[in-house]
Amino acid sequence: MSPTIWVVIVTLACALVIGGVVGGVRRARRSRGELAPSAEPSTIPAPAPPPALGGAEGAPGAGESEEAPSEPAAPQLETPEAPAGRMVRLRRRLAGSNNHLARALADLLSADRLDEDVWDDFETTLITSDLGVGPTAELVERLRRELAVEGISEPARARELLRRELIGLVDPSLDRGLALEHAEGVPAVIMLVGVNGTGKTTTVGKLGRMLVAQGRSVLFGAADTFRAAAAEQLGTWGERVGVRTVRGAEGADPASVAFNAVDEGITEGVDVVLVDTAGRLHTKVGLMDELGKVKRVIEKKAPVGEVLLVLDATTGQNGLAQARVFAEAVDVTGIVLTKLDGSAKGGIVVQVQRELGVPVKFIGLGEGADDLAPFDPEGFVDGLLGE
């Protein structure tokens, strides 16, 4: 053989010997745990495709149906009770209330004999029921005369006569309609005024519900900027029936908020703007002057058709004193009597109308959202008589 072939053979033999030695060493080390078994070659997953341009992480890929994002559910609006049925329900509540006037009438009609003592007791109770001295004297005189002349002794007939006289005192001839007429392009504007605690902001909300039930579009103006929760309270009332509330910052000028509310009412083309004002003591001259300013500023945009004075019926004579001062400051056009149940004295209806020469237009007989009703003289008297 040639030397070259021998070199090749020797080289291959050496390689085989060395490979065998190395393999033996690796097997020995593996058996002692010094060397981990060789891993199988792993498959590297392909990278996920990037999301579509403008899409969010987790957007559906090819072949998947893409659903449009769901719109937030619209708030469920309440359906206010129609005004026509309210007085019937409120009349029943009035009949069940424990008021002085109702008791006086019951005592008179249940008496076996109408002597001087009975009439004196009747007259005293009427006066303490806030009917007032003048109206009480008129009612007693008429009843005594007619009962004597007609010789009425049957309770049913006496009750009929009493009902007629009471309706006359309440005066059904007064115009109790709400002034909602307005010129083209401007809304009817109604201001509500009164002292603190009469339920003024609540009355704005309830009156707004009543107007919505009549099919009118309404906007609230939260011009009570002194009471922190007033705007939020009014806003909550509005949200329940789809009425927007225009408000300002706490402590803002009330006249500017009222002005903005009417201005936005014109822009939106609403039928009525109801303006809530801050409660104020009638003895504070500066605050009463400011109330007049609110009205004057509003009338730069639209005439104020109604100024409704909200009175707490339980305040009696103090409520009448409040009414006089408010009437001088802002030309009150109507009265809203709240809380005319429980300890309220129904006679204030007659007296406040005589004092101001303006009608009671609405009465409230409870805390419910629809416990405000247009005042109906006959329904009111029937409630007092328990009918």
Side-chain angles (χ1 to χ4, degrees):
M1 288 187 201
S2 66
T4 304
I5 295 174
W6 280 110
V7 172
V8 171
I9 293 172
V10 172
T11 302
L12 290 172
C14 290
L16 290 171
V17 172
I18 293 170
V21 173
V22 172
V25 173
R26 288 177 64 87
R27 285 193 296 273
R29 292 179 63 187
R30 187 180 298 118
S31 66
R32 294 195 303 269
E34 296 176 3
L35 185 67
S38 59
E40 294 295 330
S42 60
T43 302
I44 301 174
L53 187 62
E57 184 176 355
E64 295 180 22
S65 61
E66 182 174 355
E67 296 182 1
S70 59
E71 295 291 331
Q76 186 67 34
L77 299 181
E78 298 178 6
T79 302
E81 181 182 358
R86 296 184 180 201
M87 191 60 202
V88 175
R89 177 170 50 85
L90 298 184
R91 186 177 72 190
R92 289 196 299 267
R93 187 173 300 174
L94 183 64
S97 67
N98 185 27
N99 66 72
H100 292 72
L101 186 53
R103 289 203 306 272
L105 303 180
D107 291 343
L108 178 69
L109 295 174
S110 63
D112 295 332
R113 187 168 61 89
L114 298 178
D115 56 21
E116 289 298 323
D117 290 338
V118 171
W119 283 113
D120 287 345
D121 290 343
F122 180 59
E123 187 171 5
T124 299
T125 307
L126 291 180
I127 292 173
T128 58
S129 74
D130 289 334
L131 187 64
V133 175
T136 294
E138 292 177 21
L139 178 60
V140 170
E141 182 182 354
R142 289 175 185 166
L143 287 175
R144 295 190 69 164
R145 182 175 63 249
E146 295 192 34
L147 289 174
V149 169
E150 299 187 20
I152 296 174
S153 58
E154 300 86 358
R157 182 72 182 89
R159 178 182 290 269
E160 181 183 337
L161 175 61
L162 184 56
R163 178 180 183 275
R164 186 184 72 197
E165 293 299 331
L166 282 171
I167 290 175
L169 280 179
V170 176
D171 196 353
S173 67
L174 293 175
D175 180 9
R176 301 178 193 276
L178 204 57
L180 298 175
E181 301 79 13
H182 55 92
E184 186 70 26
V186 297
V189 180
I190 300 173
M191 282 179 62
L192 283 91
V193 302
V195 301
N196 296 304
T198 58
K200 181 167 40 57
T201 300
T202 298
T203 299
V204 175
K206 291 181 178 182
L207 184 55
R209 290 177 64 91
M210 186 180 300
L211 292 170
V212 168
Q214 293 174 338
R216 300 181 188 275
S217 56
V218 181
L219 186 69
F220 289 157
D224 181 355
T225 59
F226 298 113
R227 188 165 62 91
E232 287 76 9
Q233 182 184 357
L234 194 58
T236 300
W237 276 102
E239 289 168 3
R240 294 166 67 178
V241 290
V243 172
R244 192 169 70 84
T245 300
V246 177
R247 64 186 74 187
E250 184 178 345
D253 179 18
S256 68
V257 177
F259 180 90
N260 291 338
V262 176
D263 187 50
E264 294 190 32
I266 293 172
T267 301
E268 297 179 15
V270 301
D271 298 321
V272 186
V273 175
L274 293 175
V275 179
D276 184 24
T277 60
R280 60 202 70 221
L281 291 175
H282 57 290
T283 54
K284 300 294 184 181
V285 177
L287 290 176
M288 295 304 295
D289 290 343
E290 184 184 75
L291 196 60
K293 173 191 171 185
V294 172
K295 184 172 182 286
R296 290 191 299 273
V297 169
I298 289 175
E299 291 187 324
K300 294 179 184 294
K301 299 296 294 185
V304 176
E306 291 271 11
V307 177
L308 299 179
L309 173 61
V310 182
L311 290 178
D312 180 341
T314 64
T315 58
Q317 295 298 319
N318 189 43
L320 292 175
Q322 298 166 12
R324 295 185 195 103
V325 180
F326 274 94
E328 292 172 1
V330 284
D331 297 326
V332 171
T333 60
I335 306 294
V336 180
L337 279 177
T338 62
K339 308 175 188 178
L340 196 60
D341 59 352
S343 61
K345 303 170 183 179
I348 193 173
V349 171
V350 174
Q351 196 168 7
V352 73
Q353 288 185 159
R354 291 201 175 193
E355 285 283 342
L356 301 186
V358 297
V360 172
K361 294 195 172 186
F362 298 94
I363 59 171
L365 288 174
E367 300 299 326
D370 293 318
D371 284 346
L372 182 76
F375 182 76
D376 171 40
E378 294 191 11
F380 173 73
V381 171
D382 286 342
L384 292 179
L385 293 172
E387 298 178 354

